[in-house]
Amino acid sequence: MDIVATLNFLLEEFNKQKISYAIIGGLALHTAGVPRATSDIDFLIFSRYV
């Protein structure tokens, strides 16, 4: 599985559907400069019904 292609696809779809999200977990740590091997993508989805 290509994690970059998967991430790009998901972000495009979230944006098309106007879904508010945040990337969390190991991938978020990696983008903050903390080295961490990860093979998944964790998202926090914000509900508009709260």
Side-chain angles (χ1 to χ4, degrees):
M1 176 191 308
D2 182 355
I3 195 165
V4 174
T6 302
L7 180 60
N8 286 331
F9 172 78
L10 288 170
L11 296 182
E12 286 177 16
E13 289 301 314
F14 286 166
N15 290 328
K16 280 185 205 174
Q17 300 297 324
K18 298 186 175 159
I19 296 171
S20 298
Y21 62 89
I23 299 173
I24 60 174
L27 188 61
L29 286 173
H30 179 73
T31 60
V34 178
R36 175 130 185 214
T38 187
S39 60
D40 67 342
I41 305 170
D42 301 305
F43 289 98
L44 174 64
I45 305 297
F46 298 96
S47 173
R48 60 185 124 181
Y49 301 109
V50 174

